[in-house]
Amino acid sequence: MSDQNLHWSRVAASYEKEFIDPHRPDVRSPLRRVLRRLARRGLGAVADLGCGIGPLLPFLVEHFTKVWAVDFAAGMLERARAAAPPSAKLEFVQCPLTDLQPLHGRLDVAVAVNSLVLPDPRDLDRALTEVRACLRPHGRLLGILPAMDGVHYLTMLLVDRALALGQPLDAARKSAAHHNDHACYDFGFGEFRFQGLEQHFWQPSEIRHRLSRAGFRVRSLKKVHLSWKQFSCWRDLEHHPPPWDWFVLAEPS
Ligand SMILES: C[S@@+](CC[C@H](N)C(=O)[O-])C[C@H]1O[C@@H](n2cnc3c(N)ncnc32)[C@H](O)[C@@H]1O
């Protein structure tokens, strides 16, 4: 494993300022609705894999009987611990997603919100196989995955916007690249690099492929439309649907 845990630890202090937030109230996400449904069906043991500063933990503690908050970054866990509701149900575990041994066979539900971002595809596959090993036979994986196609969509809107403002094509492309942080992306290999962090961004065609190889069947794949307010030039673009992450619900195959 690389030093990515140290980079994630470092950005924990300023996390809210730097990252697009799929938990905002103006984001249309099926995550909590599906979690509520699973909890009502009696699936009680859940892990928040890559819990970050812990935005989902109060909800999980409210609805589930046992909650593991897992992350490899000490700085993230420190903030998650400080913010979490006091509860005997809640346990913090510092470990990488590529080695989830302590949770093998113990989970009804695995949640991973923008944490399946391991830049090396071998680590990503390993993490998915580990998540699969944690789930009981009736278990479910709920993931939110950063969408590379959502980034391309925003680029398209930004180019059209600049052209409509009368810019020549090369200037319109430069403007779109600037507003959409193209300098941070490797579009060929699906990576976003920022402040030492290297995050994998997913193409939709990759989701079923990787999950199926790791022993999952995809039951539902939906766009999570993000908040326009977190993107550049949003006032000019908000009459269009906003960019998205991918929500995936999967079960052991
Ligand atoms: C973009 S943040 C999302 C945090 C949180 N799930 C949320 O919804 O706000 C990604 C989190 O995943 C964690 N993470 C990334 N790669 C990881 C890995 N290989 N093992 C464990 N945690 C990882 C990071 O430390 C970070 O806390």
Side-chain angles (χ1 to χ4, degrees):
M1 176 58 67
S2 67
D3 56 0
Q4 284 297 300
N5 58 336
L6 302 179
H7 291 295
W8 279 109
S9 243
R10 192 175 34 74
V11 298
S14 56
Y15 187 81
E16 296 91 328
K17 280 193 224 111
E18 311 285 4
F19 288 84
I20 302 285
D21 179 6
H23 303 285
R24 284 172 61 112
D26 54 349
V27 168
R28 278 178 279 146
S29 168
L31 181 69
R32 288 175 195 234
R33 180 170 43 79
V34 176
L35 282 169
R36 257 188 227 105
R37 195 180 72 214
L38 296 175
R40 270 199 307 272
R41 288 204 337 230
L43 278 72
V46 64
D48 186 356
L49 301 173
C51 65
I53 62 173
L56 200 55
L57 296 178
F59 176 90
L60 296 179
V61 166
E62 186 187 337
H63 290 89
F64 289 83
T65 51
K66 173 74 196 175
V67 180
W68 283 276
V70 179
D71 209 290
F72 68 173
M76 292 289 181
L77 285 175
E78 201 177 305
R79 284 202 60 191
R81 255 195 211 98
S87 170
K89 293 179 190 174
L90 179 57
E91 198 175 318
F92 291 88
V93 182
Q94 184 174 4
C95 71
L97 300 184
T98 46
D99 181 5
L100 295 171
Q101 182 77 37
L103 298 179
H104 280 188
R106 299 177 77 183
L107 298 184
D108 298 313
V109 180
V111 189
V113 179
N114 287 341
S115 53
L116 288 166
V117 292
L118 293 75
D120 182 328
R122 294 163 296 187
D123 291 336
L124 196 52
D125 286 346
R126 177 83 196 275
L128 290 170
T129 306
E130 281 293 290
V131 176
R132 171 69 184 81
C134 293
L135 286 181
R136 296 178 175 144
H138 57 269
R140 295 286 186 271
L141 165 63
L142 280 71
I144 292 186
L145 307 170
M148 193 53 107
D149 54 319
V151 178
H152 288 301
Y153 166 77
L154 179 57
T155 299
M156 172 193 76
L157 294 182
L158 287 167
V159 170
D160 287 352
R161 167 188 170 274
L163 290 173
L165 290 171
Q167 294 183 14
L169 181 58
D170 57 343
R173 285 183 172 162
K174 265 195 198 127
S175 159
H178 165 75
H179 286 299
N180 204 11
D181 298 323
H182 280 201
C184 298
Y185 287 97
D186 179 332
F187 290 108
F189 292 110
E191 238 177 81
F192 179 69
R193 301 184 187 126
F194 168 72
Q195 293 189 2
L197 297 174
E198 295 171 7
Q199 294 178 75
H200 181 64
F201 271 51
W202 291 68
Q203 293 288 356
S205 56
E206 190 186 357
I207 298 173
R208 282 177 205 279
H209 172 75
R210 283 200 189 285
L211 283 171
S212 139
R213 282 202 320 193
F216 287 99
R217 183 175 22 247
V218 171
R219 288 178 61 114
S220 170
L221 186 59
K222 291 197 164 98
K223 283 178 181 165
V224 174
H225 282 287
L226 299 164
S227 168
W228 260 131
K229 293 189 177 128
Q230 293 204 287
F231 293 90
S232 271
C233 310
W234 66 273
R235 283 182 199 282
D236 295 341
L237 302 176
E238 65 175 337
H239 53 291
H240 299 288
W244 56 86
D245 287 336
W246 283 106
F247 167 82
V248 64
L249 170 65
E251 64 187 5
S253 54

